Amino acid sequence: GEKGNHQSTFEHIKALEDFYLETNQVLRYALDETLIDLAQYCHGNISKMISILLPALRNNRGCAAFILKPAILGIEVSMQLAMLARHKLDIAAVFTSSFDSGIGLSHTAFLAAVSDNAVTSSITATTSSPVVTF
């Protein structure tokens, strides 16, 4: 099917979840490129993305984090996905950067810090939002 479409997102997450279960729930996974593909399929419409991700991940326990690339996903989509991860799915949101200058990297770090502060006191964040660079 079309890369990033609704069905391929479900299939990809199911395959990852099956792998998690096959490893006796030891090896967890994170969603990275899947989120980028889905954002492209949904034309950045966060409501549509959430309507696909929430049912796909609601009962899954193997997903440990969303890997968010604001330079690709956009600031608003990245922040909304971080909120979804924490508030609805109880997983981490990791902001990362690829090929950004110091200025781009500082903005990514800022977004990670701001998203940490957006977690309400009723939600226990088990992981802060790290910024990963290579």
Side-chain angles (χ1 to χ4, degrees):
E2 181 180 342
K3 186 176 183 182
N5 72 25
H6 180 260
Q7 192 59 36
S8 70
T9 299
F10 273 106
E11 290 169 3
H12 185 70
I13 291 171
K14 182 175 179 346
L16 290 168
E17 191 67 17
D18 288 347
F19 178 75
Y20 167 69
L21 295 173
E22 287 172 16
T23 66
N24 293 317
Q25 301 178 3
V26 173
L27 295 177
R28 296 182 76 194
Y29 60 91
L31 297 180
D32 184 350
E33 307 304 333
T34 301
L35 298 174
I36 293 169
D37 292 344
L38 186 60
Q40 290 171 347
Y41 169 73
C42 294
H43 304 286
N45 181 327
I46 190 66
S47 296
K48 187 173 182 182
M49 292 177 70
I50 290 172
S51 74
I52 293 169
L53 288 169
L54 200 53
L57 289 167
R58 183 163 296 190
N59 295 318
N60 291 351
R61 298 291 171 245
C63 187
F66 284 175
I67 309 300
L68 304 170
K69 297 179 180 179
I72 298 171
L73 291 169
I75 294 170
E76 182 63 26
V77 169
S78 296
M79 293 300 289
Q80 291 293 325
L81 288 174
M83 299 301 281
L84 172 69
R86 292 203 180 100
H87 291 278
K88 301 286 185 191
L89 301 171
D90 197 27
I91 61 174
V94 178
F95 286 80
T96 187
S97 174
S98 302
F99 308 111
D100 284 345
S101 67
I103 293 171
L105 192 54
S106 67
H107 284 286
T108 300
F110 175 76
L111 289 174
V114 169
S115 77
D116 275 351
N117 289 333
V119 176
T120 64
S121 60
S122 65
I123 303 291
T124 302
T126 57
T127 307
S128 62
S129 292
V131 176
V132 179
T133 61
F134 291 96

